Amino acid sequence: MAQATNRVDVPVSVDQSKCIDGCTLCVDVCPLDSLAIDPETNKAYMHVDECWYCGPCAARCPVDAVTVNIPYLLR
Amino acid sequence: MQIPPLSERREMTCDVLVIGGGTAGTMAALTAAQHDVQVLLLEKANVRHSGALAMGMDGVNNAVIPGKASPEDYVADITTANDGIVNQRTVYQTATRGFAMVQRLERYGVKFEKDEHNEYAVRKVHRSGSYVLPMPEGKDVKKVLYRQLRARNVRARVTIENRVMPVRVLTVDGRAVGAVGFDTRTGEFVTISAGAVILAAGAAGRLGLPASGYLYGTYENPTNAGDGYAMAYHAGAELSGIECFQVNPLIKDYNGPACAYVANPFGGYQVNAEGNRFVDCDYWSGQMMAEVKAELDSARGPIYLKLSHLPDATITEIEGILHTTERPTRGTFHAGRGHDYRERDIEMHISEIGLCSGHSASGVWIDEHAATTVPGLYAAGDMALVPHNYMIGAFVFGEIAGEHASVFARTASRPALPEDQISAAHELIYRPLSNPDGPPQAQVEFKLRRFVNDYMQPPKTERYLSLGLESFERMRGDIARMGATTPHELMRCAEVTFIRDCAEMAARASLARTESRWGLYHQRADLPASDDERWFCHLNLRKDATGAMEMLTRPVAPYIVDVPGFTRPDGIPNEPVGTELAGAWA
Amino acid sequence: MSPDAVAARILGLLDLADEDPTHEELEPYLADPAPEVRRNALGVLSDHTEDWTAASPVFAAALTDEDPAVRAAATRLVRELSEVLVPGEEFDAALRRATTHADATVRLEAIDALWRHRLTTVDELTGLSGDPDAAVRCEVVLGFVSLDALDALARAADDPDPSVRLAVARGLGAVGDPRGTATLTCLAADPEFLVRAAALTAMARTGCGDEAVHVAVAALTDDAWEVRQGAANALSSAAPDERGAAALVTALGDENLDVRKAAVKTLGAWLPSRPAVRSSLESALSDVDADVRAYARMSLTN
């Protein structure tokens, strides 16, 4: 069945030019399991808008590629 | 994904099963390992960054340090803050074992603030009680604990399973014998057979909907959806004080702690719009929240955390603490709006409701040994009823649960796991896969939690509570139709069932206690007076033999510590502390 | 090294981290030519080591790494790990080397570690007290406080930078020795109001003799509320005489809520020996500020 696809502004962004192909640290540590590896690029991205803006993803990234913003509704 | 057949499952066994790898759960696992049993630690996130301490904690609220405070002061203060309805034996454990816990954590590498003379820098934040001890490197608490869990001697005893989420505790003849759940990444069905089970799954922090409308913009870590409350209930355990909600004054919209206690020693404080401090209550309690709410609702609102009067250097120092620990994105939040503490005070509001014994007094009923009313089932941390137990209490009761569960597990039989309960849990977990076109979790959860706000947010009345209960019953239908297609979505769907269970418990307990008590926490607008004659007692609830929610009362146990300025309305005299409890402080 | 090669090294390090590596296994990464790798290796070592005697010198030595980001990571770790780091010849020597590094943050952190681990002396700290950076000199002051070095603190009270004099004022309070009052009395006349305020507040812990009372009473009319608050605090350690009581009663009408709060607390403590202040405390029960009301209530009911 066809589904509506509403675009959402997600709080976590990953600098694709810095993100290391093969590293999964941010995906591993996210308490809400909201990050995933894009199978096409092998880089991390936010796959669901479920975020406590807590920050381990950014703090643990070995190359400072992850930025945590405040979810739009709170911003 | 496809629904796996009931028989296709990963079967695990252990002596002590710990559910939740946060504050209490980690300490329970470490302690059980010291008692020479095999431990399985299940964490639906990753133990390294999970639970209330996911990103650390900037201080402890309830450290009783020799020379700074006495256990008797602490127990008396907590008794007063809870209108006398506490089992002092549980609170006494936190008071007397807290200091040894601080020292244990220091040996692991946790840094508590000390002055130039190596004395603990305990702060007096409220007018009564000197129990606040900052942790200047508190962002690393979980790192320290994780390092301990991975140490060679512990690793041999403790197996960690991240991203595995139990949904039910299994029981045989009324005793806890294991749990059932699934892997939230692969969807694999998992059963665990255990000698004893420790629930340490955190607060019911995703109950009310934040004013922002963002499902995960909660005060508590939103992974703490009341899983432990629901699992304890369905296992037949008693829960208590569920009507004593958690409500906190927070930074508006950001919905995180304002940390007045961080700003306090630097000269910051909370004021109304006229610039005056307004809280008359001397300690953190529902009475204090009632005063905050009254101020917000008055012509003197809104309220602020005031820092703008402080010198630039002091504000820089405060920012250094507030923007790095516990909720480091609060700096991002203020910067995003172009707000600077130097020019503008921080607007505060009052949070949505939650259930949490760490901050108020609603949780699974336990005794001073962390035992629930179900044999073999222990509980600790935010979900276990030890009033205002905070982080130190979570560690202390994690330790106690680890000790006692290990002893229980050593002689416990290992009956075959109950297939009927496993089958029911299988249905609970995978049902959304049969309705791929059913309403998605986010919409169902939003609606459910909006009803929580509409009908449960205090002040409460019988009419609103009854409408709430009706809504929560109706939501059973929505939940049954809820759809999902991935293991991740199954996790969120299972959480919605926990949230609904907690909402129903909150409504029924609030209806049953026909009086007002604990300030805003259980303020009944239709019954504004306290009724000590009938209600100087605990209100407990449990699942009865027919599966219905049953209410019962338990008397307040005899005190073991005098409470200056408070006379027990039932006149029951104190008991001696006894050698077991008294020993810890010596 | 190419970016890809660095990324590959980091990946190798992270894979190793999953297997709870030993110090020896991490050594090649700790000595990697790429600073990003060294920085991450320090983090991994801090996550996994069980041998703090061996690991401690590694963190201390990294304080003087050639790369600023590695040094920054090392300064954070030396502070974070202070409960588990183990002093020893190599560790102590690395800290001492860092006290003369060009990077002020490194010097500061090294001095902090030296006094927190009880590895330093008044003489060594005195040698470091001419540092060009004021924040480093503040750290030296904390070291003096840890050793109760009253004379050294008195010398530091002449520092040209107000932040150092502020640290001295606070530090003398922390030492709490009545012999510190003389320096505090000088600092109570400092041109910088925060130093005056801190000096007066410190007198609450060193004791407030006759001369200090005179200074404090005069300071109750200072232009800066912080100083008036400090003065009301100072008097809490003074003998409850007529002069002080009259000044504090006046301060109960101060426009600043924190001055009134400090005054009501001191007067509350004086109530048993000066019953005449009761009526003033009673009128504070209706102050617009809740803290002032509460401390008045507590003093009148106790």
Side-chain angles (χ1 to χ4, degrees):
Chain A
M1 193 182 99
Q3 298 258 334
T5 50
N6 294 0
R7 204 171 60 81
V8 288
D9 178 302
V10 297
V12 173
S13 55
V14 180
D15 183 335
Q16 301 289 308
S17 70
K18 285 189 189 169
C19 180
I20 300 178
D21 183 338
C23 174
T24 59
L25 237 173
C26 61
V27 177
D28 294 342
V29 299
C30 173
L32 285 137
D33 216 4
S34 304
L35 303 173
I37 301 296
D38 182 334
E40 282 175 22
T41 62
N42 263 342
K43 306 284 176 90
Y45 76 108
M46 190 167 214
H47 75 108
V48 282
D49 178 24
E50 298 169 0
C51 185
W52 195 40
Y53 37 107
C54 54
C57 53
R60 297 296 301 285
C61 175
V63 289
D64 293 327
V66 182
T67 306
V68 180
N69 203 338
I70 303 295
Y72 173 75
L73 290 176
L74 287 64
R75 213 175 290 160
Chain B
M1 73 169 281
Q2 299 295 312
I3 300 178
L6 180 61
S7 58
E8 195 180 302
R9 58 180 89 155
R10 175 153 48 127
E11 293 177 341
M12 307 179 80
T13 60
C14 59
D15 297 320
V16 172
L17 170 64
V18 182
I19 296 176
T23 317
T26 313
M27 191 52 72
L30 288 169
T31 306
Q34 290 175 343
H35 284 73
D36 219 24
V37 292
Q38 287 298 328
V39 182
L40 175 61
L41 176 57
L42 299 185
E43 167 55 58
K44 69 175 168 182
N46 181 312
V47 174
R48 178 68 175 80
H49 292 280
S50 66
L53 302 180
M55 203 53 203
M57 187 62 66
D58 50 25
V60 301
N61 288 338
N62 58 339
V64 181
I65 305 290
K68 310 281 182 183
S70 75
E72 286 71 25
D73 293 339
Y74 178 80
V75 173
D77 281 346
I78 296 296
T79 306
T80 309
N82 286 281
D83 293 0
I85 301 184
V86 298
N87 174 0
Q88 285 193 341
R89 290 185 175 278
T90 59
V91 181
Y92 196 81
Q93 292 275 45
T94 298
T96 53
R97 295 174 62 139
F99 181 56
M101 180 54 66
V102 164
Q103 293 175 309
R104 178 175 181 180
L105 292 167
E106 279 183 329
R107 282 197 302 279
Y108 292 166
V110 175
K111 197 167 149 183
F112 294 93
E113 185 164 326
K114 290 181 181 160
D115 64 19
E116 296 84 350
H117 297 96
N118 216 25
E119 297 271 330
Y120 292 97
V122 175
R123 307 253 158 87
K124 186 181 175 93
V125 170
H126 302 299
R127 293 177 207 117
S128 86
S130 294
Y131 312 120
V132 171
L133 181 56
M135 295 193 297
E137 305 297 320
K139 63 184 186 315
D140 304 304
V141 176
K142 287 291 287 201
K143 171 175 173 174
V144 173
L145 294 170
Y146 191 66
R147 192 163 64 214
Q148 217 57 36
L149 278 172
R150 300 302 301 159
R152 208 157 276 116
N153 57 342
V154 179
R155 219 152 67 208
R157 290 268 171 231
V158 179
T159 305
I160 298 174
E161 288 288 341
N162 288 320
R163 310 289 176 193
V164 172
M165 174 172 150
V167 299
R168 288 289 185 264
V169 169
L170 297 169
T171 58
V172 170
D173 298 331
R175 188 204 119 198
V177 296
V180 52
F182 69 109
D183 185 309
T184 66
R185 288 259 174 96
T186 65
E188 186 183 22
F189 191 47
V190 179
T191 60
I192 304 104
S193 164
V197 179
I198 299 172
L199 281 170
R206 219 160 92 207
L207 188 52
L209 183 67
S212 67
Y214 191 62
L215 290 177
Y216 308 95
T218 44
Y219 170 66
E220 298 285 349
N221 183 334
T223 57
N224 297 346
D227 313 31
Y229 288 72
M231 280 189 272
Y233 172 74
H234 290 290
E238 285 180 35
L239 290 91
S240 184
I242 298 301
E243 68 282 15
C244 181
F245 297 169
Q246 173 186 208
V247 185
N248 288 312
L250 302 175
I251 298 173
K252 186 171 178 300
D253 297 346
Y254 182 72
N255 218 30
C259 295
Y261 73 93
V262 172
N264 230 279
F266 294 100
Y269 44 77
Q270 190 177 291
V271 292
N272 59 25
E274 292 170 358
N276 292 309
R277 287 177 285 233
F278 58 89
V279 174
D280 282 309
C281 186
D282 292 338
Y283 40 83
W284 187 271
S285 64
Q287 186 52 43
M288 184 178 280
M289 298 320 133
E291 291 185 35
V292 168
K293 175 141 175 45
E295 205 70 12
L296 284 165
D297 292 345
S298 78
R300 298 174 303 276
I303 63 169
Y304 299 93
L305 175 63
K306 184 174 170 64
L307 300 176
S308 58
H309 62 298
L310 299 173
D312 187 75
T314 308
I315 293 180
T316 306
E317 213 173 331
I318 296 172
E319 284 171 337
I321 302 169
L322 292 183
H323 297 175
T324 55
T325 315
E326 195 166 338
R327 302 304 307 276
T329 50
R330 89 182 252 181
T332 317
F333 171 75
H334 293 304
R337 291 190 175 180
H339 294 172
D340 184 323
Y341 298 159
R342 287 156 194 79
E343 288 146 20
R344 195 182 161 114
D345 296 320
I346 302 157
E347 185 183 351
M348 295 176 63
H349 74 163
I350 202 153
S351 71
E352 71 281 359
I353 67 159
L355 307 178
C356 175
S357 197
H359 291 84
S360 63
S362 40
V364 176
W365 178 262
I366 57 166
D367 66 11
E368 66 267 36
H369 300 135
T372 71
T373 53
V374 170
L377 184 63
Y378 298 79
D382 278 347
M383 61 166 287
L385 180 61
V386 184
H388 298 217
N389 216 19
Y390 300 112
M391 192 190 88
I392 286 293
F395 278 129
V396 165
F397 272 84
E399 182 180 68
I400 294 172
E403 284 165 20
H404 288 268
S406 301
V407 172
F408 185 94
R410 227 173 265 143
T411 57
S413 64
R414 302 300 174 85
L417 295 182
E419 282 301 320
D420 55 335
Q421 294 172 33
I422 293 174
S423 165
H426 187 275
E427 163 72 9
L428 170 78
I429 295 166
Y430 298 108
R431 180 179 53 202
L433 294 174
S434 354
N435 322 316
D437 298 325
Q441 161 264 335
Q443 283 184 318
V444 176
E445 183 174 329
F446 187 98
K447 191 200 265 188
L448 170 64
R449 291 170 61 193
R450 181 176 56 76
F451 288 137
V452 171
N453 283 18
D454 291 348
Y455 298 126
M456 298 288 112
Q457 186 87 17
K460 317 169 189 178
T461 70
E462 186 190 349
R463 290 193 193 96
Y464 281 121
L465 292 168
S466 301
L467 286 168
L469 190 54
E470 190 185 311
S471 320
F472 306 144
E473 289 298 338
R474 195 169 59 236
M475 288 304 293
R476 286 181 192 272
D478 295 51
I479 287 171
R481 289 190 301 277
M482 194 162 45
T485 58
T486 66
H488 181 88
E489 289 174 355
L490 289 179
M491 163 169 67
R492 294 281 173 261
C493 287
E495 287 169 347
V496 174
T497 72
F498 303 148
I499 297 169
R500 200 216 65 85
D501 287 341
C502 290
E504 183 186 341
M505 288 189 251
R508 291 192 190 277
S510 296
L511 279 165
R513 185 177 280 276
T514 49
E515 62 151 3
S516 284
R517 196 171 285 269
W518 306 300
L520 188 63
Y521 296 158
H522 182 64
Q523 185 184 334
R524 285 281 302 257
D526 52 349
L527 297 164
S530 290
D531 179 355
D532 283 337
E533 191 67 37
R534 287 179 61 204
W535 286 111
F536 185 75
C537 59
H538 300 276
L539 173 64
N540 287 19
L541 62 82
R542 70 178 171 208
K543 193 173 176 177
D544 73 12
T546 68
M549 199 176 287
E550 173 187 28
M551 297 287 154
L552 56 153
T553 59
R554 278 181 179 257
V556 177
Y559 289 164
I560 52 176
V561 165
D562 277 326
V563 186
F566 180 84
T567 311
R568 270 182 81 126
D570 57 8
I572 289 177
N574 285 16
E575 264 182 1
V577 175
T579 48
E580 183 207 335
L581 290 194
W585 185 249
Chain C
M1 224 191 274
S2 74
D4 282 352
V6 173
R9 295 285 289 160
I10 291 176
L11 275 182
L13 175 66
L14 295 177
D15 284 345
L16 191 58
D18 287 338
E19 282 145 37
D20 303 297
T22 62
H23 185 180
E24 294 70 40
E25 290 169 309
L26 285 171
E27 251 163 19
Y29 296 96
L30 290 163
D32 198 277
E36 298 93 318
V37 177
R38 295 202 298 280
R39 177 170 63 87
N40 280 294
L42 284 175
V44 173
L45 179 66
S46 73
D47 266 322
H48 293 280
T49 189
E50 292 185 51
D51 182 354
W52 290 103
T53 308
S56 296
V58 178
F59 297 110
L63 286 172
T64 50
D65 192 281
E66 62 184 32
D67 181 80
V70 177
R71 292 200 300 271
T75 55
R76 281 195 300 272
L77 287 166
V78 166
R79 186 166 286 241
E80 169 199 319
L81 299 169
S82 72
E83 291 292 341
V84 279
L85 290 176
V86 184
E89 210 173 312
E90 236 187 300
F91 176 79
D92 306 359
L95 289 183
R96 296 222 148 77
R97 269 200 309 282
T99 60
T100 55
H101 194 272
D103 184 337
T105 320
V106 168
R107 299 199 298 278
L108 185 152
E109 209 54 53
I111 295 168
D112 181 88
L114 281 171
W115 73 255
R116 281 194 191 275
H117 290 284
R118 309 276 148 200
L119 300 173
T120 191
T121 61
V122 176
D123 282 347
E124 180 178 39
L125 289 169
T126 303
L128 297 165
S129 63
D131 197 283
D133 188 279
V136 176
R137 297 201 301 280
C138 286
E139 193 61 50
V140 171
V141 167
L142 297 182
F144 287 142
V145 175
S146 75
L147 296 165
D148 292 337
L150 286 175
D151 294 341
L153 286 168
R155 285 193 294 278
D158 294 329
D159 196 282
D161 193 284
S163 68
V164 180
R165 301 197 300 277
L166 184 67
V168 170
R170 288 177 178 166
L172 287 166
V175 174
D177 189 313
R179 287 172 295 173
T181 319
T183 309
L184 288 174
T185 308
C186 298
L187 289 170
D190 198 275
E192 175 62 41
F193 71 95
L194 288 174
V195 178
R196 297 201 296 280
L200 287 156
T201 300
M203 287 179 188
R205 298 174 70 177
T206 57
C208 207
D210 208 44
E211 193 194 345
V213 170
H214 187 76
V215 170
V217 168
L220 274 173
T221 58
D222 196 287
D223 284 343
W225 67 264
E226 291 93 339
V227 179
R228 302 199 299 277
Q229 178 195 33
N233 285 332
L235 289 170
S236 67
S237 70
D241 67 3
E242 178 57 41
R243 188 175 41 147
L248 286 167
V249 167
T250 308
L252 284 181
D254 199 284
E255 61 179 19
N256 181 280
L257 74 185
D258 277 330
V259 177
R260 299 200 302 279
K261 177 174 164 179
V264 85
K265 283 169 94 168
T266 298
L267 278 176
W270 286 12
L271 179 61
S273 50
R274 295 204 73 82
V277 302
R278 173 172 291 273
S279 64
S280 304
L281 288 170
E282 281 167 356
S283 53
L285 287 171
S286 53
D287 197 283
V288 289
D289 184 74
D291 276 7
V292 175
R293 292 196 295 272
Y295 284 106
R297 168 171 49 79
M298 287 156 86
S299 68
L300 289 165
T301 51
N302 280 347

